[in-house]
Protein backbone atom coordinates (compact mmCIF):
# COMPACT_ATOMS: atom_id res chain seq x y z
CA UNK A 1 0.00 0.00 0.00
CA UNK A 2 1.37 3.42 -0.96
CA UNK A 3 2.07 6.01 1.70
CA UNK A 4 -0.58 8.53 2.62
CA UNK A 5 0.16 11.94 1.12
CA UNK A 6 -0.94 15.31 2.48
CA UNK A 7 0.04 18.86 1.53
CA UNK A 8 0.06 21.85 3.84
CA UNK A 9 0.04 25.16 1.98
CA UNK A 10 1.69 27.79 4.16
CA UNK A 11 4.70 27.44 6.42
CA UNK A 12 3.69 29.81 9.21
CA UNK A 13 2.76 28.66 12.69
CA UNK A 14 -0.68 27.48 11.50
CA UNK A 15 0.77 25.37 8.69
CA UNK A 16 3.57 23.90 10.78
CA UNK A 17 1.25 23.09 13.67
CA UNK A 18 -1.11 21.40 11.21
CA UNK A 19 1.77 19.35 9.76
CA UNK A 20 2.81 18.38 13.28
CA UNK A 21 -0.67 17.20 14.19
CA UNK A 22 -0.99 15.34 10.88
CA UNK A 23 2.22 13.47 11.69
CA UNK A 24 0.70 12.30 14.97
CA UNK A 25 -2.55 11.30 13.30
CA UNK A 26 -1.16 9.66 10.15
CA UNK A 27 2.03 8.14 11.47
CA UNK A 28 5.71 8.20 10.49
CA UNK A 29 5.22 6.77 6.98
CA UNK A 30 2.86 9.53 5.76
CA UNK A 31 4.32 11.93 3.20
CA UNK A 32 3.60 15.40 4.54
CA UNK A 33 4.74 18.27 2.32
CA UNK A 34 4.80 21.89 3.47
CA UNK A 35 4.84 24.36 0.59
CA UNK A 36 5.80 27.93 1.47
CA UNK A 37 6.04 30.84 -0.95
CA UNK A 38 8.68 32.67 1.11
CA UNK A 39 12.28 31.53 1.41
CA UNK A 40 11.88 30.68 5.08
CA UNK A 41 9.46 28.97 7.44
CA UNK A 42 7.69 30.65 10.33
CA UNK A 43 5.48 33.30 8.80
CA UNK A 44 5.11 36.04 11.40
CA UNK A 45 7.31 34.16 13.84
CA UNK A 46 10.73 35.51 12.98
CA UNK A 47 13.76 35.88 15.19
CA UNK A 48 16.57 38.05 13.86
CA UNK A 49 19.99 38.90 15.20
CA UNK A 50 19.95 42.54 16.30
CA UNK A 51 22.97 43.92 18.06
CA UNK A 52 24.25 40.37 18.48
CA UNK A 53 21.08 39.26 20.32
CA UNK A 54 18.29 36.93 19.22
CA UNK A 55 15.29 39.26 18.93
CA UNK A 56 11.77 38.64 17.68
CA UNK A 57 10.79 41.02 14.88
CA UNK A 58 7.34 39.56 14.27
CA UNK A 59 5.12 38.14 16.99
CA UNK A 60 6.96 38.55 20.29
CA UNK A 61 4.81 36.48 22.65
CA UNK A 62 1.73 34.32 23.00
CA UNK A 63 -1.22 34.31 25.36
CA UNK A 64 -0.16 31.88 28.07
CA UNK A 65 -3.57 31.70 29.73
CA UNK A 66 -4.94 30.06 26.59
CA UNK A 67 -3.56 26.50 26.53
CA UNK A 68 -2.71 25.64 22.92
CA UNK A 69 0.67 27.32 22.57
CA UNK A 70 1.92 26.43 26.05
CA UNK A 71 0.88 22.81 25.53
CA UNK A 72 2.65 22.65 22.17
CA UNK A 73 5.79 24.16 23.70
CA UNK A 74 5.74 21.45 26.39
CA UNK A 75 5.00 18.69 23.87
CA UNK A 76 8.04 19.73 21.84
CA UNK A 77 10.32 19.65 24.88
CA UNK A 78 10.74 23.43 25.05
CA UNK A 79 9.16 24.05 28.46
CA UNK A 80 12.53 24.98 29.98
CA UNK A 81 12.83 27.76 27.39
CA UNK A 82 9.52 29.37 28.38
CA UNK A 83 9.81 32.83 29.95
CA UNK A 84 7.28 35.45 31.06
CA UNK A 85 7.26 39.26 31.17
CA UNK A 86 8.56 41.25 34.10
CA UNK A 87 6.15 43.25 36.21
CA UNK A 88 6.97 46.49 34.36
CA UNK A 89 3.64 48.20 33.58
CA UNK A 90 2.46 49.13 30.10
CA UNK A 91 1.29 52.63 29.18
CA UNK A 92 -0.74 54.60 26.67
CA UNK A 93 0.12 57.98 25.15
CA UNK A 94 -3.09 59.90 24.47
CA UNK A 95 -4.18 63.53 24.61
CA UNK A 96 -0.53 64.52 24.74
CA UNK A 97 0.29 62.58 27.89
CA UNK A 98 1.65 59.12 28.77
CA UNK A 99 -0.15 57.22 31.52
CA UNK A 100 -0.29 53.62 32.75
CA UNK A 101 -2.87 51.45 31.05
CA UNK A 102 -5.68 51.42 33.60
CA UNK A 103 -6.58 48.20 35.32
CA UNK A 104 -10.18 47.03 35.62
CA UNK A 105 -10.95 47.51 31.92
CA UNK A 106 -11.69 45.03 29.13
CA UNK A 107 -9.41 46.05 26.26
CA UNK A 108 -9.92 49.62 27.47
CA UNK A 109 -13.68 49.42 28.06
CA UNK A 110 -14.04 50.59 31.68
CA UNK A 111 -15.70 48.47 34.33
CA UNK A 112 -15.96 51.50 36.60
CA UNK A 113 -15.50 55.25 36.48
CA UNK A 114 -12.64 55.02 38.96
CA UNK A 115 -10.69 52.74 36.61
CA UNK A 116 -10.27 55.51 34.01
CA UNK A 117 -10.12 58.56 36.24
CA UNK A 118 -6.47 59.27 35.37
CA UNK A 119 -7.01 58.93 31.60
CA UNK A 120 -10.20 60.79 30.71
CA UNK A 121 -11.21 64.42 30.96
CA UNK A 122 -13.93 65.63 33.31
CA UNK A 123 -16.42 65.45 30.45
CA UNK A 124 -15.22 61.96 29.49
CA UNK A 125 -15.69 60.75 33.06
CA UNK A 126 -19.15 62.29 33.18
CA UNK A 127 -20.12 60.35 30.04
CA UNK A 128 -18.83 57.08 31.51
CA UNK A 129 -20.68 57.65 34.77
CA UNK A 130 -23.92 58.42 32.92
CA UNK A 131 -23.72 55.42 30.56
CA UNK A 132 -25.74 52.98 32.73
CA UNK A 133 -28.65 55.45 32.67
CA UNK A 134 -28.89 55.36 28.87
CA UNK A 135 -31.51 53.08 27.25
CA UNK A 136 -30.34 49.43 27.48
CA UNK A 137 -28.22 48.07 24.64
CA UNK A 138 -30.10 45.51 22.57
CA UNK A 139 -27.98 43.78 19.95
CA UNK A 140 -30.60 41.12 19.15
CA UNK A 141 -27.86 38.90 17.76
CA UNK A 142 -26.44 41.55 15.45
CA UNK A 143 -22.84 42.72 15.31
CA UNK A 144 -21.74 46.35 15.56
CA UNK A 145 -18.57 48.32 14.98
CA UNK A 146 -16.68 48.80 18.23
CA UNK A 147 -16.06 52.49 17.54
CA UNK A 148 -19.69 53.33 16.84
CA UNK A 149 -20.89 51.61 20.01
CA UNK A 150 -18.27 53.31 22.16
CA UNK A 151 -19.09 56.77 20.79
CA UNK A 152 -22.81 56.23 21.29
CA UNK A 153 -22.40 55.12 24.90
CA UNK A 154 -19.30 56.94 26.17
CA UNK A 155 -18.57 59.75 23.75
CA UNK A 156 -15.23 59.89 21.88
CA UNK A 157 -12.62 59.61 24.61
CA UNK A 158 -12.85 55.93 25.66
CA UNK A 159 -12.43 54.82 22.05
CA UNK A 160 -9.75 57.33 21.14
CA UNK A 161 -7.63 57.14 24.30
CA UNK A 162 -8.03 53.52 25.41
CA UNK A 163 -9.77 50.99 23.18
CA UNK A 164 -8.35 52.29 19.90
CA UNK A 165 -4.68 51.97 20.91
CA UNK A 166 -5.23 48.55 22.50
CA UNK A 167 -7.12 47.05 19.57
CA UNK A 168 -4.68 48.73 17.18
CA UNK A 169 -1.88 46.89 18.95
CA UNK A 170 -3.57 43.52 18.42
CA UNK A 171 -5.16 43.88 14.99
CA UNK A 172 -3.36 46.86 13.43
CA UNK A 173 -6.92 48.05 12.92
CA UNK A 174 -9.32 50.85 13.76
CA UNK A 175 -12.35 50.72 16.01
CA UNK A 176 -14.51 52.12 13.21
CA UNK A 177 -13.87 48.93 11.20
CA UNK A 178 -13.45 46.22 13.84
CA UNK A 179 -16.52 44.30 14.92
CA UNK A 180 -17.53 43.76 18.54
CA UNK A 181 -18.30 40.03 18.38
CA UNK A 182 -14.94 38.94 16.97
CA UNK A 183 -12.70 41.32 18.92
CA UNK A 184 -14.51 41.48 22.27
CA UNK A 185 -16.58 38.28 22.49
CA UNK A 186 -16.85 38.43 26.29
CA UNK A 187 -18.47 41.86 26.08
CA UNK A 188 -20.87 40.72 23.36
CA UNK A 189 -21.82 37.66 25.42
CA UNK A 190 -22.58 39.82 28.44
CA UNK A 191 -24.75 42.15 26.36
CA UNK A 192 -26.56 39.17 24.79
CA UNK A 193 -27.35 37.87 28.28
CA UNK A 194 -29.34 41.00 29.04
CA UNK A 195 -26.75 43.27 30.63
CA UNK A 196 -27.84 46.57 29.15
CA UNK A 197 -24.84 48.77 29.89
CA UNK A 198 -21.26 48.67 28.59
CA UNK A 199 -19.95 49.60 32.03
CA UNK A 200 -21.81 46.70 33.64
CA UNK A 201 -20.91 44.31 30.81
CA UNK A 202 -17.22 45.05 31.26
CA UNK A 203 -17.57 44.57 35.02
CA UNK A 204 -18.99 41.06 34.52
CA UNK A 205 -15.85 40.02 32.61
CA UNK A 206 -13.42 41.09 35.31
CA UNK A 207 -11.65 38.22 37.11
CA UNK A 208 -12.18 37.84 40.81
CA UNK A 209 -9.52 39.50 42.97
CA UNK A 210 -6.66 37.11 43.74
CA UNK A 211 -6.76 35.32 47.07
CA UNK A 212 -4.15 36.34 49.64
CA UNK A 213 -0.76 34.76 48.96
CA UNK A 214 -2.06 33.27 45.70
CA UNK A 215 -0.10 34.24 42.62
CA UNK A 216 -2.03 34.57 39.39
CA UNK A 217 -0.61 32.66 36.42
CA UNK A 218 1.27 34.78 33.86
CA UNK A 219 -0.76 36.20 31.00
CA UNK A 220 1.93 36.01 28.29
CA UNK A 221 4.90 33.84 27.47
CA UNK A 222 7.67 33.56 24.91
CA UNK A 223 10.81 31.50 24.32
CA UNK A 224 14.17 32.59 25.63
CA UNK A 225 15.96 32.32 22.27
CA UNK A 226 13.07 33.67 20.23
CA UNK A 227 9.92 32.22 18.75
CA UNK A 228 11.81 30.90 15.73
CA UNK A 229 12.89 28.17 18.18
CA UNK A 230 9.31 26.90 18.04
CA UNK A 231 9.38 26.93 14.24
CA UNK A 232 12.68 25.04 14.10
CA UNK A 233 11.57 22.43 16.61
CA UNK A 234 8.29 21.83 14.79
CA UNK A 235 10.15 21.20 11.54
CA UNK A 236 12.72 19.00 13.29
CA UNK A 237 10.16 16.82 15.09
CA UNK A 238 7.57 16.62 12.32
CA UNK A 239 10.05 15.96 9.50
CA UNK A 240 7.85 17.13 6.64
CA UNK A 241 9.14 17.57 3.14
CA UNK A 242 9.68 21.35 2.98
CA UNK A 243 9.50 23.24 -0.30
CA UNK A 244 10.43 26.90 0.05
CA UNK A 245 10.24 29.79 -2.39
CA UNK A 246 7.45 28.17 -4.37
CA UNK A 247 4.01 29.76 -4.75
CA UNK A 248 1.03 27.44 -5.08
CA UNK A 249 -0.67 28.64 -8.25
CA UNK A 250 -3.65 26.33 -8.39
CA UNK A 251 -5.53 23.81 -6.29
CA UNK A 252 -7.21 21.18 -8.44
CA UNK A 253 -9.63 18.54 -7.23
CA UNK A 254 -9.27 15.20 -9.00
CA UNK A 255 -12.05 12.91 -7.78
CA UNK A 256 -11.11 12.09 -4.19
CA UNK A 257 -7.53 13.37 -4.64
CA UNK A 258 -5.85 16.72 -5.10
CA UNK A 259 -3.24 18.23 -7.39
CA UNK A 260 -1.26 21.33 -6.48
CA UNK A 261 0.32 23.38 -9.23
CA UNK A 262 3.38 25.03 -7.75
CA UNK A 263 6.37 27.06 -8.85
CA UNK A 264 6.77 29.55 -11.71
CA UNK A 265 3.99 29.87 -14.26
CA UNK A 266 6.47 29.20 -17.07
CA UNK A 267 7.54 25.85 -15.62
CA UNK A 268 4.93 24.64 -13.13
CA UNK A 269 5.42 21.53 -11.04
CA UNK A 270 2.68 19.25 -9.80
CA UNK A 271 2.17 17.66 -6.41
CA UNK A 272 -0.50 14.97 -6.10
CA UNK A 273 -1.87 14.31 -2.61
CA UNK A 274 -4.82 12.80 -0.74
CA UNK A 275 -5.67 15.88 1.30
CA UNK A 276 -4.81 19.55 1.69
CA UNK A 277 -4.63 21.97 4.61
CA UNK A 278 -4.72 25.58 3.44
CA UNK A 279 -3.00 27.80 6.01
CA UNK A 280 -2.47 31.08 4.15
CA UNK A 281 -3.70 34.68 4.51
CA UNK A 282 -7.12 35.64 3.18
CA UNK A 283 -6.01 37.01 -0.24
CA UNK A 284 -4.13 33.80 -1.07
CA UNK A 285 -6.96 31.60 0.20
CA UNK A 286 -9.42 33.52 -1.96
CA UNK A 287 -7.43 32.79 -5.11
CA UNK A 288 -6.77 29.13 -4.37
CA UNK A 289 -10.38 28.36 -3.46
CA UNK A 290 -11.96 30.19 -6.41
CA UNK A 291 -12.63 26.98 -8.37
CA UNK A 292 -12.82 24.26 -5.70
CA UNK A 293 -14.87 26.14 -3.06
CA UNK A 294 -16.20 29.32 -4.70
CA UNK A 295 -18.52 30.22 -1.81
CA UNK A 296 -15.59 30.13 0.62
CA UNK A 297 -13.48 32.13 -1.82
CA UNK A 298 -16.11 34.88 -1.97
CA UNK A 299 -16.25 35.13 1.80
CA UNK A 300 -12.45 35.23 2.13
CA UNK A 301 -12.58 38.20 -0.27
CA UNK A 302 -14.60 40.10 2.36
CA UNK A 303 -11.73 39.99 4.87
CA UNK A 304 -9.59 43.10 4.57
CA UNK A 305 -5.94 42.99 5.59
CA UNK A 306 -3.51 45.50 7.05
CA UNK A 307 0.24 45.92 6.68
CA UNK A 308 2.76 46.97 9.28
CA UNK A 309 6.48 47.11 9.99
CA UNK A 310 8.62 46.42 13.04
CA UNK A 311 11.65 48.68 13.54
CA UNK A 312 14.10 47.06 15.94
CA UNK A 313 16.72 49.24 17.63
CA UNK A 314 19.77 48.02 19.55
CA UNK A 315 20.81 50.99 21.69
CA UNK A 316 24.19 51.47 23.38
CA UNK A 317 24.89 49.96 26.80
CA UNK A 318 23.78 52.28 29.56
CA UNK A 319 20.80 53.71 27.68
CA UNK A 320 18.10 54.29 30.29
CA UNK A 321 14.66 53.10 29.30
CA UNK A 322 11.45 54.23 31.02
CA UNK A 323 10.31 52.06 33.93
CA UNK A 324 7.59 50.44 31.86
CA UNK A 325 7.26 47.64 29.33
CA UNK A 326 6.17 49.85 26.46
CA UNK A 327 3.73 52.46 25.24
CA UNK A 328 0.76 52.38 22.86
CA UNK A 329 0.01 55.56 20.95
CA UNK A 330 -3.48 56.82 20.27
CA UNK A 331 -4.27 57.54 16.65
CA UNK A 332 -3.70 61.12 15.52
CA UNK A 333 -1.30 62.03 18.33
CA UNK A 334 1.42 64.57 17.65
CA UNK A 335 4.81 64.87 19.26
CA UNK A 336 5.63 67.95 21.35
CA UNK A 337 7.41 69.40 18.31
CA UNK A 338 4.12 69.19 16.37
CA UNK A 339 5.14 66.34 14.06
CA UNK A 340 2.57 63.49 13.84
CA UNK A 341 3.84 60.27 15.37
CA UNK A 342 4.75 57.55 12.89
CA UNK A 343 4.87 54.68 15.38
CA UNK A 344 1.70 53.19 16.85
CA UNK A 345 3.57 51.45 19.69
CA UNK A 346 6.94 50.91 21.32
CA UNK A 347 8.05 47.85 23.24
CA UNK A 348 10.90 48.47 25.69
CA UNK A 349 12.02 44.87 25.39
CA UNK A 350 14.94 45.10 27.78
CA UNK A 351 12.45 46.21 30.46
CA UNK A 352 9.63 43.87 29.45
CA UNK A 353 11.67 40.65 29.30
CA UNK A 354 14.30 39.80 31.91
CA UNK A 355 16.20 37.61 29.43
CA UNK A 356 16.66 40.64 27.14
CA UNK A 357 18.08 42.87 29.85
CA UNK A 358 21.75 43.76 29.60
CA UNK A 359 23.68 44.88 26.54
CA UNK A 360 22.71 46.20 24.08
CA UNK A 361 19.41 47.78 25.11
CA UNK A 362 16.60 46.54 22.85
CA UNK A 363 13.55 48.53 21.74
CA UNK A 364 11.09 47.90 18.94
CA UNK A 365 8.72 50.33 17.31
CA UNK A 366 5.61 49.21 15.42
CA UNK A 367 4.37 51.19 12.43
CA UNK A 368 1.14 50.84 10.49
CA UNK A 369 -2.59 50.51 11.02
CA UNK A 370 -5.26 49.54 8.54
CA UNK A 371 -5.40 52.30 5.94
CA UNK A 372 -1.92 53.64 6.73
CA UNK A 373 -0.02 52.07 3.83
CA UNK A 374 1.50 55.48 3.06
CA UNK A 375 3.54 55.30 6.27
CA UNK A 376 5.19 52.11 5.02
CA UNK A 377 6.12 53.46 1.61
CA UNK A 378 9.26 55.05 3.01
CA UNK A 379 12.54 53.19 2.74
CA UNK A 380 14.14 51.49 5.73
CA UNK A 381 16.40 54.39 6.64
CA UNK A 382 13.48 56.82 6.62
CA UNK A 383 11.43 54.51 8.83
CA UNK A 384 14.29 54.20 11.31
CA UNK A 385 14.68 57.98 11.39
CA UNK A 386 10.95 58.51 11.96
CA UNK A 387 10.78 55.91 14.74
CA UNK A 388 13.87 57.33 16.44
CA UNK A 389 12.23 60.78 16.33
CA UNK A 390 9.13 59.39 18.02
CA UNK A 391 11.21 57.60 20.65
CA UNK A 392 13.10 60.79 21.44
CA UNK A 393 9.92 62.83 21.73
CA UNK A 394 8.27 60.26 24.00
CA UNK A 395 11.22 59.35 26.21
CA UNK A 396 14.09 61.75 25.59
CA UNK A 397 16.27 58.89 24.27
CA UNK A 398 18.46 60.19 21.44
CA UNK A 399 21.29 57.65 21.52
CA UNK A 400 22.52 56.48 18.13
CA UNK A 401 21.61 52.79 17.66
CA UNK A 402 24.48 50.35 17.30
CA UNK A 403 22.26 48.19 15.08
CA UNK A 404 18.81 48.38 13.49
CA UNK A 405 16.51 46.02 11.61
CA UNK A 406 13.35 46.84 9.67
CA UNK A 407 10.93 43.97 9.05
CA UNK A 408 7.85 44.57 6.91
CA UNK A 409 4.69 42.53 7.22
CA UNK A 410 2.71 43.25 4.08
CA UNK A 411 -0.99 42.48 3.89
CA UNK A 412 -1.02 39.60 6.33
CA UNK A 413 -2.93 41.05 9.30
CA UNK A 414 -6.64 40.23 8.95
CA UNK A 415 -9.21 42.79 10.01
CA UNK A 416 -12.02 41.33 12.08
CA UNK A 417 -14.77 43.57 10.76
CA UNK A 418 -18.47 43.73 11.56
CA UNK A 419 -19.97 40.31 10.84
CA UNK A 420 -16.62 38.52 10.86
CA UNK A 421 -17.98 35.52 12.75
CA UNK A 422 -20.62 35.05 10.05
CA UNK A 423 -17.95 35.26 7.37
CA UNK A 424 -15.87 32.59 9.11
CA UNK A 425 -18.87 30.32 9.60
CA UNK A 426 -19.70 30.59 5.89
CA UNK A 427 -16.08 29.80 4.95
CA UNK A 428 -15.97 26.74 7.17
CA UNK A 429 -19.40 25.52 6.01
CA UNK A 430 -18.37 25.81 2.36
CA UNK A 431 -15.04 24.07 2.91
CA UNK A 432 -16.73 21.29 4.90
CA UNK A 433 -18.56 20.28 1.73
CA UNK A 434 -15.25 19.55 -0.04
CA UNK A 435 -13.75 16.20 1.06
CA UNK A 436 -10.08 16.23 1.98
CA UNK A 437 -9.78 20.01 2.30
CA UNK A 438 -9.48 22.16 5.42
CA UNK A 439 -8.47 25.72 6.26
CA UNK A 440 -6.50 27.18 9.16
CA UNK A 441 -4.88 30.44 10.14
CA UNK A 442 -5.27 33.88 11.68
CA UNK A 443 -8.18 34.82 9.42
CA UNK A 444 -10.52 32.50 11.29
CA UNK A 445 -10.82 32.45 15.08
CA UNK A 446 -8.11 34.75 16.42
CA UNK A 447 -4.87 36.36 15.35
CA UNK A 448 -2.75 35.11 18.27
CA UNK A 449 -0.50 32.06 18.22
CA UNK A 450 -2.76 29.86 20.41
CA UNK A 451 -5.79 30.59 18.21
CA UNK A 452 -3.81 29.75 15.08
CA UNK A 453 -2.68 26.45 16.62
CA UNK A 454 -6.29 25.63 17.49
CA UNK A 455 -7.38 26.11 13.86
CA UNK A 456 -4.42 23.99 12.75
CA UNK A 457 -5.38 21.12 15.05
CA UNK A 458 -8.97 21.19 13.79
CA UNK A 459 -7.87 21.31 10.14
CA UNK A 460 -5.43 18.43 10.61
CA UNK A 461 -8.09 16.31 12.29
CA UNK A 462 -10.51 16.91 9.42
CA UNK A 463 -8.01 16.03 6.69
CA UNK A 464 -6.66 13.02 8.59
CA UNK A 465 -10.19 11.66 9.04
CA UNK A 466 -10.76 11.92 5.28
CA UNK A 467 -7.45 10.30 4.35
CA UNK A 468 -7.72 7.47 6.87
CA UNK A 469 -11.34 6.87 6.00
CA UNK A 470 -10.39 6.16 2.41
CA UNK A 471 -7.84 3.47 3.23
CA UNK A 472 -9.95 1.49 5.68
Amino acid sequence: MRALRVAVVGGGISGLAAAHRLRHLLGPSAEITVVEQADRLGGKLRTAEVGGRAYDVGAEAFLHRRPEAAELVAELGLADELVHPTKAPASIHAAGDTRPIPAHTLMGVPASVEAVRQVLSHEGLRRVAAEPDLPPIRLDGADVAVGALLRERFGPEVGDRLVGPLLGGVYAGRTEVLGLRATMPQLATALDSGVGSLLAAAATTMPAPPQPRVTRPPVFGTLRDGLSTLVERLAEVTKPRIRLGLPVRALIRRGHDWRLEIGPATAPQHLDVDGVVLAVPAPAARKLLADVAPAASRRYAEVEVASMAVVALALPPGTELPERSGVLLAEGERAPDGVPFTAKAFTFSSRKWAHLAGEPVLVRGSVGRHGEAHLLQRDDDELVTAVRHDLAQLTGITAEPIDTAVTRWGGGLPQYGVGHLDVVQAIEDAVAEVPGLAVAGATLHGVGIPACIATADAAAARVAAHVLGRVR
Side-chain angles (χ1 to χ4, degrees), residues 2 253-258 273-275 435-437 466-467 470:
R2 68 169 176 78
R253 189 177 175 192
R254 307 171 71 205
H256 293 287
D257 300 329
W258 293 87
V273 294
D274 303 304
L437 177 67
H466 167 78
V467 172
R470 291 190 56 215

Side-chain angles (χ1 to χ4, degrees), residues 16 38 50 99 114 117 120 133 154 160 190 202 205 219 236 238 249 252 265 275 281 330 366 378 450 470:
L16 291 172
V50 183
R99 304 176 182 88
E114 199 58 37
R117 188 169 298 282
L120 304 187
D133 297 326
F154 291 135
D160 292 347
T205 70
V219 178
E236 175 188 343
T238 304
R249 298 194 171 276
I252 304 160
S366 299
R378 291 175 277 188
R470 291 190 56 215

Side-chain angles (χ1 to χ4, degrees), residues 207-218:
Q211 298 298 313
R213 296 181 296 280
V214 174
T215 302
R216 279 184 174 163

Side-chain angles (χ1 to χ4, degrees), residues 329-405:
L329 285 84
E331 189 176 349
E333 287 292 299
R334 290 179 175 269
D337 64 4
V339 176
F341 284 113
T342 295
K344 66 172 186 174
F346 282 94
T347 303
F348 305 136
S349 301
S350 292
R351 289 277 191 220
K352 182 174 182 178
W353 302 101
H355 69 285
L356 293 178
E359 303 176 359
V361 175
L362 296 171
V363 172
R364 55 181 254 168
S366 299
V367 178
R369 296 180 178 87
H370 183 249
E372 289 185 344
H374 63 283
L375 293 178
L376 305 176
Q377 290 169 355
R378 291 175 277 188
D379 64 27
D380 288 0
D381 289 343
E382 289 174 314
L383 272 181
V384 169
T385 297
V387 167
R388 288 190 60 206
H389 164 271
D390 293 352
L391 182 65
Q393 293 288 306
L394 283 168
T395 68
I397 295 171
T398 58
E400 184 81 22
I402 61 176
D403 194 13
T404 64

